[in-house]
């Protein structure tokens, strides 16, 4: 029996707990809830890596295409907030590993390590994608990450043994697959969907989506989920050789910038590709980094202070004016990107 690394399975574990067999949510979930005195309205099981009593899980954060809603996993289910006033609009059943760009599909993990695509509204399984290995783990899931392509037509998944597969969302066919030689904790499609970057305990790799061939191998990075392409496709940000946030220029993948003295947790690009939002593995600060290579207006790093717990996932609103960050105990905070001031604390769900 293998001990899964704490970082690798956390997002997938949430899915495993909430979505293992989606068809059973209505029936079996009620049965389990009765046994533990629950409400029957979603998973109440703790998620690996979460802190007991933390209302929001910090691994993943999404904003809708129109900027009106934010979504993350909570202790009791999938939480959705209205961004206009920060109110909690809904706590739905289950949890997720990824959500499609238009929010029509959520991705989860089946009990055989298949990736499940479910209709967001009905929670019905629309595709079951096999091909990842069902390695037995003591804490977490055998699936380490899932990612949708920017146009929503493809989905990629990785397992604990380093296998990466890409499938068609429309018909579930496997487009390509590759065996890497190390742990894969994070996946990120390029904006045009032709490349897939992988990061984790091995060198960050860039793969050709259609063939699975390696396009580039970047210097070995520290274990990190920080992996993101700029919207204009000119840059790839990931953890550098010493664990610091680093920036590579495409298509030759030349290392051009590093933010020394920091250790990358997660990252997000602003819509104009000129600023990176970063979280650190060692503190509770969100940073905005506009390095000279990006043509940012500010060379200095701006620190956003307000979290009391270490934040992880970050995401910009589509207009770039607001940044959202999430920490387990604090929940989701909304920041004014221009001033760096805390704009709003989104309503916390009950634990």
């Amino acid at each position: 029996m293998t001990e899964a690394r704490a970082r690798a399975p956390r997002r997938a574990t949430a899915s495993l707990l909430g979505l293992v067999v989606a068809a059973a949510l209505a029936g079996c979930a009620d049965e389990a809830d009765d046994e533990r005195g629950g409400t029957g309205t979603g998973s109440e099981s703790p998620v690996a890596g979460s802190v007991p009593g933390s209302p929001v899980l910090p691994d993943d954060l999404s904003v809708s295409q129109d900027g009106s809603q934010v979504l993350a996993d909570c202790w009791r289910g999938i939480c959705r907030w209205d961004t206009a006033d920060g109110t909690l609009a809904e706590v739905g059943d289950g949890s997720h590993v990824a959500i499609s760009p238009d929010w029509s599909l959520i991705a989860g993990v089946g009990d055989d390590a298949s990736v499940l695509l479910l209709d967001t509204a009905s929670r019905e399984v629309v595709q079951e994608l096999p091909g990842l290995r069902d390695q037995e783990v003591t804490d977490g899931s055998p699936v380490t990450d899932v990612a949708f392509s920017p146009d929503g037509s493809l989905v990629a998944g990785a397992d604990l043994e380093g296998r990466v597969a890409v499938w068609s969302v429309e018909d579930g066919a496997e487009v390509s697959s590759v065996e890497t030689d190390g742990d894969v904790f994070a996946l990120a499609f390029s904006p045009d969907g032709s490349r897939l970057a992988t990061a984790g305990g091995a060198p960050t790799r860039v793969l050709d989506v259609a063939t699975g061939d390696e396009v580039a191998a970047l210097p070995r990075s520290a274990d990190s989920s920080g992996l993101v392409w700029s919207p204009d496709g000119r840059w790839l940000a990931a953890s550098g050789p010493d664990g610091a946030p680093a920036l590579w220029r495409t298509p030759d993948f030349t290392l051009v910038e590093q933010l020394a003295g920091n250790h990358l947790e997660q990252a997000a690009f602003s819509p104009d590709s000129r600023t990176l939002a970063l979280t650190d593995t060692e503190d509770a600060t969100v940073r905005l980094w506009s390095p000279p290579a990006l043509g940012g207006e500010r060379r200095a790093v701006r620190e956003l202070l307000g979290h009391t717990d270490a934040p992880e996932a970050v995401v910009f609103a589509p207009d770039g004016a607001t940044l959202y960050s999430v920490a387990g105990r604090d929940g989701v905070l909304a920041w004014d990107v221009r001033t760096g001031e805390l704009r709003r604390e989104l309503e916390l769900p009950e634990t």
Side-chain angles (χ1 to χ4, degrees):
M1 189 174 292
T2 301
E3 283 252 358
R5 296 193 186 194
R7 181 187 307 281
R10 286 175 63 179
R11 285 159 58 177
T13 301
S15 175
L16 190 64
L17 291 167
L19 298 175
V20 171
V21 183
L25 280 174
C28 296
D30 287 343
E31 216 173 276
D33 284 337
D34 289 341
E35 291 178 3
R36 62 177 176 257
T39 62
T41 57
S43 172
E44 295 188 46
S45 302
V47 175
S50 63
V51 178
S54 298
V56 183
L57 306 182
D59 303 277
D60 198 24
L61 190 62
S62 302
V63 62
S64 61
Q65 290 180 327
D66 63 2
S68 66
Q69 299 175 76
V70 169
L71 182 143
D73 280 344
C74 295
W75 191 261
R76 292 180 180 270
I78 300 176
C79 286
R80 179 174 57 83
W81 293 267
D82 289 333
T83 59
D85 57 10
T87 57
L88 184 60
E90 179 186 34
V91 180
D93 284 334
S95 51
H96 74 301
V97 191
I99 189 165
S100 63
D102 64 1
W103 282 24
S104 64
L105 297 172
I106 55 177
V109 180
D111 57 3
D112 58 354
S114 60
V115 174
L116 304 178
L117 302 184
L118 299 93
D119 180 271
T120 303
S122 68
R123 296 296 198 272
E124 293 181 358
V125 176
V126 298
Q127 292 289 358
E128 185 172 353
L129 310 175
L132 300 181
R133 286 170 290 232
D134 188 15
Q135 184 177 7
E136 189 176 3
V137 295
T138 58
D139 181 15
S141 164
V143 177
T144 57
D145 198 20
V146 176
F148 283 92
S149 62
D151 66 359
S153 66
L154 300 172
V155 65
D159 66 26
L160 278 173
E161 296 182 6
R163 178 178 173 82
V164 176
V166 178
W167 302 272
S168 165
V169 170
E170 181 178 6
D171 60 12
E174 185 176 288
V175 175
S176 62
S177 63
V178 63
E179 301 285 346
T180 68
D181 59 1
D183 299 331
V184 174
F185 297 160
L187 300 168
F189 279 95
S190 62
D192 65 1
S194 68
R195 300 285 187 263
L196 179 70
T198 72
T204 297
R205 289 183 169 84
V206 181
L207 308 174
D208 182 282
V209 168
T211 64
D213 293 340
E214 184 177 287
V215 176
L218 311 183
R220 184 179 180 87
S221 62
D223 297 349
S224 171
S225 298
L227 182 66
V228 62
W229 297 79
S230 63
D232 62 11
R234 297 177 58 197
W235 311 98
L236 177 66
S239 178
D242 60 354
L247 188 67
W248 283 267
R249 181 181 61 230
T250 68
D252 59 357
F253 296 99
T254 300
L255 179 62
V256 295
E257 299 275 2
Q258 291 190 82
L259 188 60
N262 296 270
H263 296 82
L264 181 63
E265 175 66 32
Q266 291 205 41
F269 260 104
S270 61
D272 64 3
S273 301
R274 304 180 95 181
T275 300
L276 271 162
L278 310 168
T279 55
D280 197 308
T281 59
E282 298 183 355
D283 62 33
T285 303
V286 178
R287 292 174 174 84
L288 295 179
W289 183 34
S290 301
L294 298 182
E297 296 179 1
R298 298 177 177 87
R299 181 167 183 166
V301 175
R302 289 184 290 158
E303 295 188 344
L304 310 184
L305 304 176
H307 278 293
T308 62
D309 191 12
E312 294 190 26
V314 283
V315 63
F316 282 90
D319 64 3
T322 303
L323 175 74
Y324 299 96
S325 59
V326 58
R329 288 187 291 269
D330 302 328
V332 181
L333 304 187
W335 307 88
D336 186 301
V337 173
R338 184 180 63 83
T339 66
E341 295 179 353
L342 180 59
R343 177 175 288 172
R344 180 177 294 114
E345 298 180 25
L346 276 59
E347 181 183 353
L348 287 173
E350 295 180 0
T351 56

